[in-house]
Amino acid sequence: MRIPFPERIPLNYAILAATILFAIQVFEGTAFYFAVGTLLFIIFFTLAFNEAGGLSRASGAYVFFYGVLVFLIGVTYKAFLGEPAESNLKDPKTTIEVFVGGMAAMLFTTIISRRFRRKSGLLEHILKDSDMYRASVGCIATGILANYAIALLGQAGAQLQATFGQLNQLVPLGIILAVTYEIRSSGGTRSINLTALAAMGWYFFWGLLIFSKQGMLTPLMCWILPVWTLGYRLSRAQVLLGLAGLFLFFHYLVPYAQYGRSFVEDGQTLSDRIDLSVNLLENIEETRRIYLTNEIAMGQTLGSYYDTPQGFWERLQFISADDALINVTDQGKVFGLSPIPLELMNAVPHIFWKNKPVFNFGNLYAHEIGGFSEDDTTTGISFSPTGEAYHLAKWLGVFLVAPLIWFSLFVIFDSLLGNLRATPWGLLAMVLLAHTAPETGISGAIYVFTFGTEIITFCAIFATWAAPPIASAFIGPRRPTDEPVHHSRLRRLSGISETTSS
């Protein structure tokens, strides 16, 4: 089984699917204006995705993860449950207008930005195929060990460690490199090796200890993306194992991460974290029960989208959270544009700004909605880019501020990366976009084209020129067996051209 990699969605299929969903919504009692809005959203989404170049381009990936995770899964699952799409929303008319207007603005932005981006990415094809495995070893080793080495410098290395910590996505990149190498060198018969497996285990372990959903899910994403883009044929066992892993993640590990964060305190030792994790994992059903109880209470604050608690399905839509934010905006609580310059300033590394402030706008917006205790300054609530844009400046935010930010992101990332399938850091960018596009607001888009650009550039340069020599300290000097075996059939499937050696 191969997972299709969409570079284009046929418009006639999209219109057919949108029409079927429209008919189901009307039959189930959805307000006509909301059903029409859903149909228009799907059409604009398809046009924007195709115009951007599909998942082969960063702009297309942003459109995809935004549209699917913010809105489409939510309204489709709502129809599956037989519930009217606008039910349980406080301000459904304005909410659907914001979503449709935001997607129309995104379509306009993709059309304009495509005329300004480079045809090929600046970071395309800079890594030799023969260096790919050694680059993976060097990235993983440095990503794991560098922080400990910098810590030996004491206080003098504190700022350097903070800066490196922000740029350090070397372990995820190393996993992508190792999986890509294994697929290409084996001609599509293998997708994993010991290097990738060890790095995935290490990253997942630390995700457990710091109660990070992203940390626990990232290793799986770093395996899936090369498998997906290279056209690797999955066995039935691999498909079943992957589905079981996703079930365990959403059913048990999401509650574990959300609940476990409430026990995190400053000054906790590694031993304390391990003891806490073991205790919660040993009582995982109780952990999940307490989490669901808290989730219901939180839903009563922000508004649950479904008639009954739906667990992780609530986290695959941002309609209810955006609706709550849009509602308070229409009550006169327009936040203003101050988050925009603050997020732009956040791109300055810690090494140049020692006391750089940290802002949690999701927490501030949640306090505006109400239901949060005054002393809760750490809980972060996720809102979509269009939801935040409307809150910042109402329709000016949706139709001017957001498109300007999206334009900057699309032009910079498309020009930097080109075809995402052509380079490992293109896939790393896709991991970043899968998280930031739906749930970090419009300020998250600023983070992507500023600090995200720094991260991707640093990782690409390091993997190309520094990682292969570093790998020699761990796996010895280069051997003839380091050269990958190229398979033209696999390259044709993946659409990735062979890099040239200088």
Side-chain angles (χ1 to χ4, degrees), residues 277-455:
S277 295
V278 169
N279 180 60
L280 293 177
L281 291 171
E282 284 180 341
N283 302 279
I284 193 66
E285 282 292 351
E286 179 66 10
T287 299
R288 182 171 183 271
R289 185 192 66 79
I290 296 174
Y291 159 78
L292 290 177
T293 301
N294 294 338
E295 190 77 353
I296 291 172
M298 183 68 72
Q300 292 171 346
T301 299
L302 293 178
S304 174
Y305 188 44
Y306 307 106
D307 291 346
T308 57
Q310 294 297 318
F312 81 92
W313 288 102
E314 291 281 8
R315 296 193 167 274
L316 294 179
Q317 59 82 27
F318 292 84
I319 301 170
S320 56
D322 280 4
D323 171 72
L325 189 62
I326 289 167
N327 185 53
V328 301
T329 306
D330 283 343
Q331 292 174 7
K333 295 182 180 179
V334 181
F335 195 86
L337 297 177
S338 59
I340 304 301
L342 291 175
E343 285 294 340
L344 288 170
M345 293 164 61
N346 187 51
V348 180
H350 275 289
I351 197 169
F352 302 118
W353 189 354
K354 293 185 178 182
N355 298 312
K356 183 169 68 173
V358 177
F359 301 99
N360 187 345
F361 291 111
N363 183 271
L364 291 175
Y365 302 155
H367 279 283
E368 290 185 300
I369 293 170
F372 266 43
S373 62
E374 293 184 3
D375 58 347
D376 184 349
T377 59
T378 58
T379 302
I381 303 300
S382 299
F383 299 96
S384 81
T386 42
E388 185 184 12
Y390 186 80
H391 186 53
L392 296 184
K394 301 196 78 171
W395 294 112
L396 181 67
V398 174
F399 290 121
L400 179 61
V401 177
L404 287 174
I405 293 171
W406 288 330
F407 175 82
S408 302
L409 168 61
F410 294 170
V411 171
I412 291 172
F413 256 48
D414 285 344
S415 299
L416 187 70
L417 297 167
N419 187 343
L420 297 184
R421 307 173 75 185
T423 57
W425 27 93
L427 302 187
L428 180 64
M430 200 180 292
V431 173
L432 178 65
L433 292 170
H435 169 64
T436 56
E439 60 180 292
T440 58
I442 197 64
S443 53
I446 298 175
Y447 170 87
V448 172
F449 76 73
T450 54
F451 212 85
T453 301
E454 297 173 19
I455 292 171

Side-chain angles (χ1 to χ4, degrees), residues 2-3 14 98 125 157 162 183 261 314 399 413 474:
R2 289 192 178 93
I3 307 173
V98 169
H125 307 307
I183 294 174
R261 289 176 186 176
E314 291 281 8
F399 290 121
F413 256 48
F474 297 91

Side-chain angles (χ1 to χ4, degrees), residues 13 16 40 52 61-62 68 79 85 98 135 150 152 191 205 240 254 306 324 329 334 363 369-370 372 428 449 472 485:
Y13 289 176
L16 176 62
L40 290 174
Y62 186 95
V68 171
V98 169
I150 297 173
L152 296 176
S191 66
F205 171 74
L240 292 176
V254 167
Y306 307 106
T329 306
V334 181
N363 183 271
I369 293 170
F372 266 43
L428 180 64
F449 76 73
S472 298
V485 179

Side-chain angles (χ1 to χ4, degrees), residues 157-173:
Q159 292 300 321
L160 177 60
Q161 189 169 39
T163 299
F164 180 76
Q166 289 182 302
L167 294 171
N168 182 15
Q169 291 295 317
L170 294 177
V171 176
L173 177 58

Side-chain angles (χ1 to χ4, degrees), residues 146-190:
N147 272 321
Y148 300 106
I150 297 173
L152 296 176
L153 299 174
Q155 190 62 34
Q159 292 300 321
L160 177 60
Q161 189 169 39
T163 299
F164 180 76
Q166 289 182 302
L167 294 171
N168 182 15
Q169 291 295 317
L170 294 177
V171 176
L173 177 58
I175 297 171
I176 291 171
L177 283 161
V179 174
T180 301
Y181 168 83
E182 195 66 22
I183 294 174
R184 296 186 68 179
S185 65
S186 69
T189 60
R190 298 187 305 273

